[in-house]
Amino acid sequence: MAKKRTDDEEPANPRRLAEMLRVGPGFDLATVETSATPGFLAGRAAGETALAAGAQTLFGLQERLFAAGFTGAGNDRLLLVIQGMDTSGKGGIVRHVVGSVDPQGVRHTAFKAPTAQELAHDFLWRVRPRVPGPGLIGVFDRSHYEDVLIVRVHDLVPRAEWEQRYDAINAFEAELAGQGTTMVKVMLHISPAEQLRRLEKRLYRPDKYWKYATSDLDEHAFWDGYQEAYQAALTRCSTSSAPWYVVPADKKWYARWAVQSLLIGALAQVDPQWPAAGFDVDRERARLAALLATRTR
Amino acid sequence: MAKKRTDDEEPANPRRLAEMLRVGPGFDLATVETSATPGFLAGRAAGETALAAGAQTLFGLQERLFAAGFTGAGNDRLLLVIQGMDTSGKGGIVRHVVGSVDPQGVRHTAFKAPTAQELAHDFLWRVRPRVPGPGLIGVFDRSHYEDVLIVRVHDLVPRAEWEQRYDAINAFEAELAGQGTTMVKVMLHISPAEQLRRLEKRLYRPDKYWKYATSDLDEHAFWDGYQEAYQAALTRCSTSSAPWYVVPADKKWYARWAVQSLLIGALAQVDPQWPAAGFDVDRERARLAALLATRTR
């Protein structure tokens, strides 16, 4: 007799998963288990199968979002913000989750250390031009949150200045939400030991050397400071219109499935529709039939 | 006894395919068979299998290109220019060929009808900021060639002006090549009857209405003018550093395989290498081992 499956063994649906991962009142980052797989207890193989199936669902939702934006019928757009410590798998989310949708509809930005020109402006100056337009999925690999993370940890600006940024971010994101942007902000959460194991891999594979920098280990020493800065950003900037989700990410397959599922849930809530014809369908069919008769005669 | 395969039944390798599709001296667009599948005679199912296998090859080459550009070790970049009549499958190339590589390394631009601001500048003004940087694959869905195609067909600027543009384009592309840009310019070539059949599909599927515009049939009437404009652009702007390839595109599976193969061939010629370590590998391994011992104790 087959083992009876319990409810807990069924993957959570996107809405339920969002509730499980969402940063709400009383959230404490230190209590989140980085190697857990909440909402998906069936293991890696099943997770990879679910990811492949979800890719179709996400592709279909994105196509409708894009179509609505393209014709002007819809004003919705989606912004995925990906944050996490070095090696937490941000690039893998781009490749394995974002990579399954139509590149035409994706606007990807990897934010690096700001240039001299960018530093001469307000911290949101370089971010605003990169927000997605109607129908598009914007992807921020790192984001304006670095301005309250690395900046806070290393005191790159005075405390009085970074302290103001939480409110500035909330105002900015509320503005985006008001324009029709659905935000999905994810922090990929790994343990310090897992980070070291991933850095180790990069040091023993010549095809991974390019991903390694000596500053990675220097930064590792600031782990606790980063966790504190994340705790502040997550709790101060998780709003109803722009919630934060903390995704346990020691298991890459889980993090990918979870982020995909959050995106599917967000787009399902937007529920973009195929635009109605902006022309007289019967008339165009008749015009076309007449031409086709000539061309294929 | 199994049927003996002839050489013709083996898919052409990328270099051989490039020779077959390349626009050279004496090229005549009118003689190109739009439903042919040069270099791949084994049919659709085999073509789709080859596309899936090629995706891995392309992904691997792109990763090395990106790594070299990321570290500054390499200066190479690739620019794919996609042109073709409406419905020729430009979007499908983006989805099914470009879609298989890492979105982080792709810079995609769909050029639309120019805005008032763009029209106030030279025709290359809006194109220059969109060329790919080191390590990136730029994708132009339509391009500066529209300025000698639709512009020529409809006399949107005086003849004396568009006549100068062929030289301007050649100078621009030579400049890009000089900077380390490998160009792959493809024209997806369909028959007028195939275009009508594809438009017909859009008129009978409500989920495709959004891709249809009444101007599509208006433009169809200018088919011969467009072919003439393509013939001029293809022959005047197929240079050794920026060749044009004409890809028969009545069969979508073939066009996708062919463009993928041209990209693989171009990147294989660039032959990007994994960057050497920019740090003392042994020293970093020792630092890491010490930290790892602490963290996992």
Side-chain angles (χ1 to χ4, degrees):
Chain A
M1 205 176 130
K3 188 178 157 226
K4 194 170 176 291
R5 290 173 69 93
T6 68
D7 279 356
D8 279 355
E9 282 171 333
E10 290 295 329
N13 67 38
R15 184 180 298 240
R16 176 88 186 94
L17 183 74
E19 285 165 13
M20 295 169 86
L21 301 182
R22 185 177 177 144
V23 173
F27 174 82
D28 181 4
L29 184 60
T31 65
V32 177
E33 178 50 67
T34 57
S35 64
T37 62
F40 203 105
L41 303 182
R44 176 176 176 159
E48 288 172 349
T49 304
L51 186 74
Q56 300 300 314
T57 309
L58 188 60
F59 186 93
L61 284 163
Q62 183 217 12
E63 200 184 1
R64 282 196 279 150
L65 181 78
F66 184 79
F70 183 86
T71 59
N75 187 42
D76 294 299
R77 65 239 30 212
L78 188 80
L79 177 59
L80 171 66
V81 172
I82 314 171
Q83 285 287 162
M85 299 295 285
D86 278 341
T87 77
S88 59
K90 300 184 288 297
I93 295 293
V94 174
R95 264 191 304 285
H96 297 278
V97 180
V98 178
S100 72
V101 304
D102 188 339
Q104 284 183 86
V106 173
R107 191 123 194 261
H108 171 271
T109 309
F111 287 98
K112 310 286 183 193
T115 63
Q117 192 193 20
E118 288 167 351
L119 284 173
H121 293 271
D122 175 77
F123 75 106
L124 293 172
W125 181 78
R126 65 173 183 163
V127 179
R128 290 186 179 275
R130 303 302 304 167
V131 302
L136 299 183
I137 297 181
V139 178
F140 285 0
D141 177 346
R142 302 188 187 271
S143 66
H144 44 294
Y145 282 96
E146 292 296 330
D147 295 289
V148 290
L149 292 168
I150 188 171
V151 167
R152 172 174 166 150
V153 171
H154 292 291
D155 284 316
L156 300 182
V157 303
R159 179 180 187 119
E161 194 172 334
W162 58 249
E163 268 290 355
Q164 294 176 349
R165 289 184 177 172
Y166 299 96
D167 288 345
I169 288 173
N170 287 337
F172 170 58
E173 293 182 353
E175 182 192 321
L176 293 185
Q179 281 167 336
T181 309
T182 297
M183 263 161 290
V184 176
K185 303 186 296 192
V186 298
M187 182 221 179
L188 303 176
H189 190 34
I190 57 172
S191 72
E194 178 66 16
Q195 184 186 57
L196 292 176
R197 281 189 291 268
R198 292 184 184 181
L199 288 173
E200 190 180 34
K201 250 186 212 165
R202 295 181 180 178
L203 282 175
Y204 284 85
R205 286 181 52 178
D207 62 334
K208 300 286 181 200
Y209 285 170
W210 67 279
K211 293 188 174 185
Y212 184 88
T214 55
S215 59
D216 293 344
L217 283 190
D218 303 338
E219 284 301 291
H220 182 84
F222 295 91
W223 190 273
D224 294 344
Y226 273 106
Q227 300 304 299
E228 190 187 298
Y230 266 108
Q231 170 74 22
L234 293 168
T235 52
R236 293 173 72 171
C237 299
S238 189
T239 60
S240 58
S241 60
W244 267 110
Y245 302 97
V246 172
V247 178
D250 279 0
K251 295 192 167 70
K252 289 181 180 179
W253 67 262
Y254 171 76
R256 291 167 189 171
W257 170 80
V259 175
Q260 183 190 66
S261 189
L262 292 171
L263 290 176
I264 288 172
L267 280 178
Q269 193 138 0
V270 170
D271 194 21
Q273 299 298 315
W274 294 117
F279 48 86
D280 181 333
V281 176
D282 290 334
R283 181 171 170 276
E284 293 303 312
R285 286 179 182 169
R287 274 179 83 196
L288 190 123
L291 280 166
L292 204 49
T294 323
R295 284 289 188 189
T296 54
R297 197 167 40 196
Chain B
M1 202 176 133
K3 189 179 159 226
K4 192 168 175 295
R5 290 174 68 94
T6 68
D7 279 353
D8 281 356
E9 281 172 334
E10 291 295 328
N13 67 37
R15 185 181 297 240
R16 176 85 186 95
L17 183 74
E19 285 165 13
M20 294 169 87
L21 301 183
R22 185 174 176 144
V23 174
F27 174 82
D28 181 3
L29 184 60
T31 65
V32 177
E33 177 51 65
T34 57
S35 63
T37 62
F40 204 105
L41 303 182
R44 175 175 176 160
E48 288 172 350
T49 304
L51 187 72
Q56 300 300 314
T57 309
L58 188 59
F59 186 93
L61 284 164
Q62 183 218 10
E63 201 185 0
R64 282 196 278 152
L65 182 78
F66 184 79
F70 184 85
T71 59
N75 186 41
D76 294 298
R77 63 239 29 211
L78 188 80
L79 177 58
L80 171 66
V81 172
I82 314 171
Q83 287 285 161
M85 299 294 287
D86 278 341
T87 78
S88 59
K90 298 183 288 295
I93 295 292
V94 174
R95 263 192 305 286
H96 297 278
V97 181
V98 177
S100 71
V101 303
D102 188 341
Q104 284 184 85
V106 173
R107 191 123 195 260
H108 171 270
T109 310
F111 287 98
K112 311 285 184 193
T115 63
Q117 193 194 19
E118 288 167 349
L119 284 173
H121 292 271
D122 175 76
F123 75 107
L124 292 173
W125 180 78
R126 65 172 184 164
V127 179
R128 290 186 178 274
R130 303 301 305 167
V131 302
L136 299 182
I137 297 182
V139 179
F140 285 1
D141 176 348
R142 302 187 187 274
S143 66
H144 44 295
Y145 282 95
E146 291 296 330
D147 295 290
V148 289
L149 292 167
I150 188 171
V151 166
R152 172 174 166 151
V153 171
H154 291 292
D155 284 317
L156 300 182
V157 302
R159 179 179 188 119
E161 194 171 334
W162 59 249
E163 268 290 355
Q164 293 174 349
R165 290 183 175 173
Y166 298 97
D167 288 345
I169 288 173
N170 287 337
F172 169 59
E173 294 182 352
E175 182 192 321
L176 293 185
Q179 281 169 335
T181 309
T182 298
M183 264 161 288
V184 177
K185 303 186 295 189
V186 298
M187 182 221 178
L188 304 176
H189 190 34
I190 57 171
S191 73
E194 178 66 18
Q195 184 186 57
L196 292 176
R197 281 189 292 267
R198 292 183 184 183
L199 288 173
E200 190 180 32
K201 251 185 213 166
R202 295 181 180 179
L203 282 175
Y204 284 85
R205 284 182 51 179
D207 62 334
K208 300 287 181 199
Y209 284 169
W210 68 279
K211 292 188 173 185
Y212 184 87
T214 55
S215 58
D216 293 344
L217 282 190
D218 302 338
E219 284 300 292
H220 182 85
F222 294 91
W223 190 273
D224 294 345
Y226 273 105
Q227 301 305 298
E228 189 186 300
Y230 266 107
Q231 169 74 23
L234 294 167
T235 51
R236 293 174 71 170
C237 300
S238 190
T239 61
S240 58
S241 59
W244 267 110
Y245 301 97
V246 172
V247 177
D250 280 0
K251 295 192 167 70
K252 288 180 180 179
W253 68 262
Y254 172 76
R256 290 167 190 172
W257 170 80
V259 174
Q260 184 191 66
S261 188
L262 291 171
L263 290 176
I264 289 172
L267 280 177
Q269 192 137 0
V270 169
D271 193 22
Q273 299 299 315
W274 295 117
F279 48 86
D280 181 333
V281 175
D282 290 334
R283 181 173 172 274
E284 293 303 312
R285 286 178 183 168
R287 276 178 82 195
L288 190 122
L291 280 166
L292 204 50
T294 325
R295 283 290 188 191
T296 54
R297 197 170 39 196

